[in-house]
Amino acid sequence: MAKLKHFEAVTLDQQDGLLAGISDTAPRINGQPLTTVEEFVDEHRSAFELDYGRPGT
């Protein structure tokens, strides 16, 4: 649940232009291009899906 709330907050910050700065620092540090929130969620979709079919979840 914490991951979902974090990504909701980041999405709002993006929409408000708070994360509009561009820098090459992160790609230089980790040696690969950064992914967008959408790409990350698509790659880790199961971590963001709730199972409504099982009681108690």
Side-chain angles (χ1 to χ4, degrees), residues 7 9-20 35-38:
F7 280 103
V10 169
T11 299
L12 292 174
D13 287 347
Q14 286 178 324
Q15 290 171 350
D16 292 340
L18 299 176
L19 304 175
T35 60
T36 65
V37 172
E38 182 179 16

Side-chain angles (χ1 to χ4, degrees), residues 3-4 7 35-50:
K3 287 181 188 176
L4 179 59
F7 280 103
T35 60
T36 65
V37 172
E38 182 179 16
E39 290 167 338
F40 183 87
V41 171
D42 284 345
E43 291 172 15
H44 302 90
R45 174 112 3 233
S46 64
F48 298 94
E49 292 178 339
L50 299 176

